[in-house]
Amino acid sequence: MSDAVWILGITMTKFGKHADKDVIDLAAEAALGALADGGVSMTDIGVLAAGNLMGGGAPTGQLIQKQIGQTGIPVFNVSNACATGATALRTTIMAIKAGECDMGLAVGVEKLAGAGLLAGGSAKTDGNHWTPRGRYGSVAGVDGRIGTDTMPGTFAQIGMEYGHRYGGASFELFARISEKNHAHSTLNPLAAYTKAMSLEQIMGDVMIAYPNTRPMCSANCDGAAAAVVVSDAKLKTLSAEQRRRAVKVAASVLTSDPWEEACQILPNVNTLTRNAARQAYEQAGVGPEDLDLVELHDCFATAELVHYDNLMLCPEGGAVDFFNSGAPWRDGSTPVNVSGGLQSKGHPIAATGIANIWEICHHLRGEAGPRQIEGARVGLAHVIGLGSACGVHILERSAA
Amino acid sequence: MSAQIPLVDYLALGDRPHLVAHECTACGARFFDRRNACASCSATEFRDADVATDGELRAYTIVSFAAPGIPVPFVAGVVDCAGTSVRSNIINVDPTPEAVRLGMPVRLATYSLGIDDDGVEAIGFGFEPA
Ligand SMILES: [Zn+2]
C-alpha cells in the first residue's frame, strides 16, 4: 500500500498586470485551468484550500466556489505570509493523507500590481504629546527609527550577514544573481518581466535597500495558481494519460522558526529552511545532488544566496562559490529559478507557493518547451514567509 | 533641565544611557518587548539585564525608501553587544557602503526626537562608530 499523493492537474495564470480581472476572476481562471489540466471537475473535489494574503479576511475559497461550483465541500481559507500558497497545497495534501477525501483543490491568488514598497507598519507619532504605546512602550514609530521593518531592508541584512560570516559576497555578486534570474525569464512567457538585464543595468538601477536595487527585489504583480491533488488509490482508477502526467509529491513539509538568539531582532530565515529541507530530503529519500531543478524563494537577490546554503545545494558556507561556479544557471549542475524567480517572473504573494510547483511539474512532465530542463526527474520548490513559515515540496516524475 | 522620555521603554536614560533587556531567569534568553512568556523555554519569570553599550556591527542595509516621516537614506543594522543582538540604526556615519563596514566596532549614542507641548523631550538611540 502506498499513501503517496500526486499532483493531477496544475496551472498558473500569466503573471503581470490584469487590470480587467478581479481576484476571483484570476482565482477562477487558475482553478478551472487546474481541473481541466487534471481531466476532472468540481464534483470530483472533496476539499478546497484557498489563499489570498491581501484579501483582508474575505472567504476567498467560497467566493471561488460561487463562480465555479458550490458543491458543499469543506473550505479552508489559509493565510501564512509568503508561504500562503504552499500552505493551501499542504492543507489539501494533509486532508488526503488523513483519508478525508481522495481529491483536493488548492488555489493561491493575489492582486498586487502597483502596490509599491511593502513596508512594515510604522505607528504614527501621536500629535503633540509623547505617549508610550505597544509592546515596546514606544512614543513614536520604531520602523525606520530602530532599524527597518521593510522587506527589502530585512532581506538585505540577511544577505549581508551571510556575507559577513563567510566572506566573498558583494553588491556585484548579489546583482549577478539577479542577472541570472532576469536572463532565465526570457524563456518564460508567463513571467511578469521577460527582458534580460545587464549587470550594469541592475547595479545602476534605483537603490531600494543596499545592496538590493529595484530589479533585485521581487516584482509586485497580479496572478493566480492552482493545483488538483489526488490520492494514490484514486489515481490508479484514472486513465493512462492522467497517470502518465501525474507528478508525485515525494515530500511536503511546512516549518516555522524555532527560537534562537537574535531571531526576534532580525528574522532568521535560515534555520527553518534548513529544517524543512532536511525533513523533505528524508521524506523523499533523495539528496540535494539528486535535484534536476530548484525553484527557491528569491524574494530579493540577497535571499537567493542564503537559500543555496539552507537547501544544502552547497556545503555550509559555500553559497558564493556555488554561484560563482555557474551551478544555478539553467545550464549548470543545479539549475535554480529557471522560471525567472520572484525577481522576474513576479511575486503575487499567495500564488507563488503553487506557481513554483507548477514550474517544477512543467519540467517533470517534459512540457516546458524552450526552457525545458532535459530529462528532469526530481525537483524542489521552496517558499518562505516572514513571521516565519517555510514550505518545501519535492516533486518526482511519474514512472507510469 | 526639561523632562525626558525614551523612544522605547527598554532605553534607560540618565548619565549613562543603556538598553535593558528582559532576561528569562530559567534559560537566559533576552527580549526587548513586553513578555507573556519565554519564546525559548516558555518560562514566565524575567529579570532586567543591562545590555553592553559597545558592540560590533554584524549586518546592515542602507534604506532608501521608508515609511512616511523617516528621513532617507539611513543605515539599519544588527549590533552584537557582547552576545546580545540589538536592532538599531547606525548613526553619525555617512550612509554609504564606503563608510559603513561589517564588523566595525560601534557604541550606543542618543539623540533628541523633539519636545512636545508639555516640554517633554523624547530621546532615541542608535549606534555610532566607536
Ligand atoms: Zn527561557
Side-chain angles (χ1 to χ4, degrees):
Chain A
M1 185 203 116
S2 166
D3 62 352
V5 172
W6 301 76
I7 306 275
L8 181 65
I10 187 161
T11 193
M12 66 176 272
T13 67
K14 161 87 176 153
F15 281 6
K17 207 173 274 182
H18 290 282
D20 55 333
K21 293 181 179 133
D22 65 19
V23 160
I24 302 308
D25 290 325
L26 286 170
E29 179 184 329
L32 292 171
L35 292 165
D37 184 54
V40 294
S41 69
M42 272 310 275
T43 54
D44 297 306
I45 300 297
V47 63
L48 169 63
N52 173 222
L53 201 68
M54 304 309 219
T60 306
Q62 287 87 341
L63 293 173
I64 294 169
Q65 284 183 306
K66 286 176 175 58
Q67 295 302 321
I68 69 170
Q70 289 176 252
T71 53
I73 59 171
V75 170
F76 295 85
N77 292 301
V78 304
S79 168
N80 220 355
C82 296
T84 294
T87 302
L89 182 68
R90 173 130 183 77
T91 301
T92 59
I93 290 170
M94 286 194 298
I96 290 169
K97 283 193 180 245
E100 296 240 342
C101 57
D102 55 24
M103 213 180 283
L105 174 64
V107 187
V109 60
E110 213 73 58
K111 284 211 66 161
L112 274 185
L117 176 71
L118 299 179
S122 193
K124 214 161 168 252
T125 307
D126 181 36
N128 302 316
H129 300 278
W130 300 117
T131 310
R133 292 222 167 87
R135 299 195 77 89
Y136 295 100
S138 49
V139 300
V142 295
D143 178 24
R145 293 186 177 89
I146 302 179
T148 181
D149 288 337
T150 64
M151 294 287 167
T154 299
F155 280 95
Q157 291 176 82
I158 286 165
M160 295 288 273
E161 183 181 46
Y162 186 90
H164 182 44
R165 183 173 303 152
Y166 298 113
S170 64
F171 176 26
E172 185 182 322
L173 177 104
F174 291 121
R176 283 190 188 282
I177 291 174
S178 193
E179 181 189 23
K180 168 182 73 74
N181 291 352
H182 285 284
H184 283 170
S185 74
T186 59
L187 297 173
N188 184 358
L190 296 185
Y193 298 97
T194 54
K195 283 205 181 88
M197 292 188 77
S198 71
L199 190 61
E200 293 67 33
Q201 281 177 306
I202 292 167
M203 294 180 74
D205 209 307
V206 178
M207 183 60 74
I208 304 293
Y210 181 88
N212 288 321
T213 63
R214 187 170 48 190
M216 297 163 72
C217 301
S218 49
N220 292 329
C221 64
D222 307 335
V228 173
V229 292
V230 65
S231 70
D232 194 62
K234 178 72 177 177
L235 180 66
K236 285 195 167 80
T237 70
L238 301 179
S239 74
E241 177 65 1
Q242 284 167 311
R243 293 199 303 275
R244 186 188 66 74
R245 290 183 74 247
V247 170
K248 185 179 177 184
V249 180
S252 174
V253 177
L254 192 65
T255 57
S256 61
D257 48 332
W259 191 85
E260 288 171 278
E261 203 285 318
C263 76
Q264 295 192 16
I265 299 299
L266 179 67
N268 181 337
V269 302
N270 303 319
T271 304
L272 83 164
T273 297
R274 293 191 87 83
N275 288 349
R278 195 176 297 115
Q279 289 176 45
Y281 291 132
E282 195 177 306
Q283 269 183 31
V286 302
E289 66 283 357
D290 298 314
L291 301 175
D292 297 305
L293 75 161
V294 172
E295 288 285 306
L296 64 74
H297 202 74
D298 64 317
C299 48
F300 298 91
T302 45
E304 176 156 330
L305 183 78
V306 305
H307 293 315
Y308 295 151
D309 198 324
N310 294 328
L311 297 172
M312 301 171 227
L313 309 182
C314 62
E316 199 166 336
V320 171
D321 290 343
F322 175 79
F323 178 76
N324 284 334
S325 76
W329 282 81
R330 53 171 290 114
D331 58 355
S333 54
T334 311
V336 175
N337 292 335
V338 297
S339 66
L342 279 56
Q343 292 166 65
S344 202
K345 178 178 71 175
H347 184 26
I349 305 173
T352 292
I354 297 176
N356 62 359
I357 289 178
W358 176 83
E359 180 69 22
I360 302 283
C361 290
H362 217 44
H363 292 268
L364 300 183
R365 289 164 156 185
E367 297 173 357
R371 73 176 186 289
Q372 176 71 39
I373 298 298
E374 284 310 320
R377 204 182 51 80
V378 184
L380 180 149
H382 157 258
V383 286
I384 186 159
L386 280 191
S388 293
C390 176
V392 170
H393 286 85
I394 295 178
L395 294 310
E396 270 178 36
R397 186 167 72 192
S398 167
Chain B
M1 191 185 102
S2 62
Q4 292 185 331
I5 188 169
L7 169 59
V8 283
D9 59 17
Y10 62 89
L11 170 63
L13 299 175
D15 293 343
R16 204 184 58 82
H18 62 282
L19 304 181
V20 181
H22 306 299
E23 184 178 271
C24 174
T25 58
C27 78
R30 288 182 169 186
F31 305 90
F32 290 105
D33 61 345
R34 172 162 58 79
R35 298 306 303 178
N36 300 87
C38 177
S40 171
C41 75
S42 303
T44 53
E45 282 184 31
F46 295 86
R47 61 177 160 248
D48 283 351
D50 290 355
V51 176
T53 53
D54 290 303
E56 187 186 295
L57 183 62
R58 205 177 68 217
Y60 78 90
T61 180
I62 303 164
V63 179
S64 306
F65 290 86
I70 301 295
V72 289
F74 70 91
V75 183
V78 176
V79 178
D80 181 344
C81 294
T84 300
S85 296
V86 177
R87 174 194 289 222
S88 175
N89 285 5
I90 308 306
I91 61 174
N92 304 329
V93 68
D94 255 4
T96 63
E98 292 72 37
V100 185
R101 188 173 48 80
L102 286 166
M104 76 179 185
V106 291
R107 65 175 169 240
L108 188 87
T110 58
Y111 64 94
S112 177
L113 285 162
I115 296 170
D116 71 8
D117 287 354
D118 303 328
V120 177
E121 183 181 30
I123 304 291
F125 75 91
F127 281 76
E128 63 183 10

